[in-house]
Amino acid sequence: MSILSSYKDMFGSSFHCKCGVQHAVPLKHVVIKQNAEEGVPSILDSEKLGKRGLMVCDDNTWKFAGKRISEVLSNNGYDIKVCLLNQKPMVIPDESAITQILLEFEPSMDFLIAVGSGTINDLTRFISHRTGKPYIVFATAPSMDGYASTVSPLLINGFKRTYITVHPLAIIADIDMLCSAPDDMILAGFGDILGKVTSLADWQLGVILAEERLCPVAKNMVQSALEEVVSKASQIAQRKSEGIQALMEALILSGVAMMMVGNSRPASGSEHHISHYIEMKYFMEGRQPLLHGTKVGLAVLYTVALYNELASLDPKNIDIQQLVKTKIPYEEWCQKIKEVFGPIAQEVIGLNDRQNWDSVVYERRLHNIKEKWETHLKPLLSSVPRLDTVKEWLQRAGANFTPQALGIEQNLMEEALLYAKEIRPHYTILRLADDLGFLEEKVKKIINLALV
Ligand SMILES: [Zn+2]
Ligand SMILES: [Zn+2]
């Protein structure tokens, strides 16, 4: 039985969860099959949205799927206008792409269709939210887990910020098309799923140390999606449909888990923050962006290494008084952030709670860490797989995610490990290492571990 089918009763429904929250999964249709484009009109018919829509695609996805879907829809009485995004070499989710879609959108339109993967989906979802018109997505590659997401990460003024948006009504994908997606996109999807190794662990760190709420249903959903994909790594490498189907389902379920809990915790942690950091730096330097999941697949090697390192720590060596005495003062930290983040420094400073530098608050946090080390933290830290195991998974999938292979300089990688924690307020392994006063020392130690 496919992993998605075990959760299908949840789609389009709401339920009271054992975590104490009423969860809703408003995503109604998930269809992954052969010739899926033929089924688009009947899904739209069932939703009774009206007949006029805006299709958002780029040159590639237009040729790959958009043209055919547009024909199928007009044969079924739909009036579809096409918004062709043509930024070169690739579409960026920024002000200019948003403006282009808004210029093509007409108030009389009833819905939007995104034809593509990450960026096109993020942009369409944002416009859908702002115009109040529903949207569906026709997914062209199993490359990232944002299909079922309700947020859009956009690059505005060069800063990657996540905007609350809206869920799609349907995710539709053609399995043959997914299997023939470019290699780097499939491997990026694998990397994004591998990131769940530490996003799930980071979420639990937040529960133990920052009073966050854990939803066991969402956690198990992502955990089983991860296990399924890892078990099918070789089939993914060989482009076998059962492997690609499992990967696509896992990517969709990761999004559903975020949709359920209403935040990104189940599927995005320190590995994602590192990826966002590299992305921002690339943008600032005008470099051609790397795929999201590729960076996540690289970053997870370091976050796993950090978990492995911290798992062997003896809590007796946590010298609370010494740590409080030597913590970098807030003003000094602000200065450092200005040097590192340049034009976006104020945004980063604003994201971090000044209270974290208060010595009483910091001391309390350290006591909490020390008290919970043996009972809660050590079991969690030790539950994260060893770095060699994760490397072997990547190898089986045929992915070579080293900084050299991706052209990322060692100093950028080091910087990302040191400062990625600043761009999101969530408690993660990077923040734990920092609280314990040895993030820098550990980064020096793990920086070369991903290479071999
Ligand atoms: Zn991701
Ligand atoms: Zn729950």
Side-chain angles (χ1 to χ4, degrees):
M1 191 169 72
S2 87
I3 176 156
L4 191 75
S5 57
S6 50
Y7 289 104
K8 72 174 188 307
D9 290 349
M10 264 187 204
F11 294 119
S13 75
S14 91
F15 65 101
H16 191 76
C17 181
K18 52 189 165 196
C19 75
V21 172
Q22 183 78 17
H23 295 308
V25 182
L27 166 67
K28 281 181 156 170
H29 313 267
V30 178
V31 179
I32 308 168
K33 61 174 191 181
Q34 285 182 317
N35 300 322
E37 61 273 26
E38 309 297 329
V40 176
S42 66
I43 290 175
L44 285 170
D45 290 350
S46 72
E47 291 297 326
K48 299 186 175 58
L49 301 174
K51 292 287 185 186
R52 291 204 71 209
L54 182 69
M55 177 185 288
V56 183
C57 48
D58 65 16
D59 290 342
N60 287 331
T61 65
W62 167 251
K63 281 183 225 134
F64 210 41
K67 189 164 181 288
R68 177 69 195 137
I69 298 166
S70 158
E71 282 164 9
V72 170
L73 282 171
S74 56
N75 291 343
N76 284 271
Y78 282 86
D79 174 12
I80 301 297
K81 183 177 171 186
V82 179
C83 172
L84 203 60
L85 299 169
N86 47 21
Q87 291 169 309
K88 295 282 180 274
M90 69 207 289
V91 179
I92 308 265
D94 63 0
E95 295 91 334
S96 109
I98 291 168
T99 310
Q100 192 186 340
I101 305 172
L102 278 175
L103 287 171
E104 304 279 3
F105 183 81
E106 293 163 20
S108 62
M109 287 174 171
D110 304 302
F111 60 88
L112 295 119
I113 308 180
V115 180
S117 59
T119 305
I120 290 176
N121 198 33
D122 286 334
L123 286 163
T124 310
R125 181 165 47 227
F126 180 77
I127 302 295
S128 165
H129 181 252
R130 291 303 200 258
T131 57
K133 300 292 165 109
Y135 88 103
I136 65 170
V137 55
F138 192 91
T140 52
S143 57
M144 52 89 227
D145 69 3
Y147 288 115
S149 163
T150 51
V151 295
S152 284
L154 302 174
L155 261 176
I156 305 296
N157 290 327
F159 188 73
K160 184 112 187 198
R161 203 180 306 144
T162 301
Y163 291 83
I164 303 285
T165 53
V166 67
H167 60 87
L169 277 180
I171 300 170
I172 308 158
D174 181 279
I175 187 66
D176 293 335
M177 221 179 260
L178 296 179
C179 289
S180 61
D183 285 354
D184 57 344
M185 294 192 96
I186 293 174
L187 292 176
F190 187 81
D192 207 7
I193 290 299
L194 220 53
K196 312 318 173 205
V197 170
T198 53
S199 67
L200 286 173
D202 281 346
W203 186 14
Q204 292 167 86
L205 276 184
V207 173
I208 297 168
L209 298 173
E211 294 174 356
E212 289 185 44
R213 184 192 288 270
L214 186 81
C215 168
V217 176
K219 176 178 163 271
N220 291 341
M221 187 186 271
V222 176
Q223 182 67 39
S224 44
L226 166 68
E227 284 165 14
E228 185 72 7
V229 164
V230 166
S231 76
K232 293 209 160 66
S234 316
Q235 284 104 310
I236 292 169
Q238 293 155 15
R239 305 286 178 273
K240 293 212 170 125
S241 62
E242 68 264 37
I244 300 297
Q245 175 103 19
L247 176 59
M248 188 64 186
E249 292 189 1
L251 291 164
I252 292 173
L253 284 173
S254 298
V256 170
M258 292 189 270
M259 183 185 280
M260 272 173 58
V261 301
N263 63 56
S264 63
R265 273 305 218 172
S268 163
S270 45
E271 73 300 321
H272 272 72
H273 305 163
I274 294 167
S275 158
H276 295 331
Y277 184 94
I278 296 171
E279 182 168 357
M280 283 195 294
K281 283 284 164 153
Y282 264 51
F283 182 80
M284 283 182 201
E285 291 162 15
R287 293 168 77 169
Q288 191 174 332
L290 295 163
L291 288 169
H292 164 79
T294 307
K295 293 184 297 254
V296 173
L298 164 72
V300 76
L301 294 172
Y302 296 98
T303 48
V304 161
L306 204 49
Y307 267 95
N308 295 169
E309 279 290 313
L310 264 70
S312 57
L313 177 83
D314 183 344
K316 280 199 220 76
N317 296 332
I318 304 175
D319 183 345
I320 295 179
Q321 294 316 316
Q322 182 63 19
L323 285 166
V324 172
K325 217 164 38 181
T326 51
K327 183 164 175 72
I328 178 173
Y330 182 69
E331 290 68 28
E332 214 176 293
W333 174 81
C334 287
Q335 196 47 45
K336 190 78 210 164
I337 294 299
K338 283 178 193 155
E339 283 163 31
V340 174
F341 287 91
I344 57 167
Q346 279 314 323
E347 299 247 18
V348 177
I349 290 171
L351 269 170
N352 284 271
D353 190 349
R354 200 187 191 300
Q355 269 242 311
N356 287 335
W357 279 264
D358 183 285
S359 55
V360 178
V361 175
Y362 180 40
E363 193 174 333
R364 209 183 302 138
R365 205 158 65 235
L366 287 170
H367 277 293
N368 194 23
I369 291 170
K370 206 164 176 173
E371 273 160 29
K372 290 181 175 160
W373 195 271
E374 291 297 337
T375 51
H376 295 77
L377 288 169
K378 195 171 174 136
L380 173 64
L381 297 166
S382 321
S383 73
V384 169
R386 305 296 302 173
L387 177 61
D388 284 346
T389 308
V390 178
K391 280 188 185 174
E392 201 241 296
W393 294 343
L394 276 171
Q395 226 166 31
R396 252 194 284 151
N400 180 16
F401 292 156
T402 59
Q404 298 100 314
L406 304 176
I408 300 176
E409 303 76 13
Q410 168 129 341
N411 61 344
L412 173 58
M413 203 59 235
E414 236 176 279
E415 209 185 273
L417 290 166
L418 288 174
Y419 296 103
K421 65 182 184 330
E422 317 293 3
I423 62 172
R424 293 287 185 279
H426 297 145
Y427 205 87
T428 63
I429 192 69
L430 295 170
R431 286 196 182 263
L432 179 60
D434 188 49
D435 270 346
L436 294 171
F438 51 51
L439 181 61
E440 266 188 66
E441 174 197 324
K442 293 293 177 196
V443 165
K444 285 204 169 42
K445 187 166 175 197
I446 64 172
I447 193 70
N448 290 316
L449 290 180
L451 308 183
V452 210

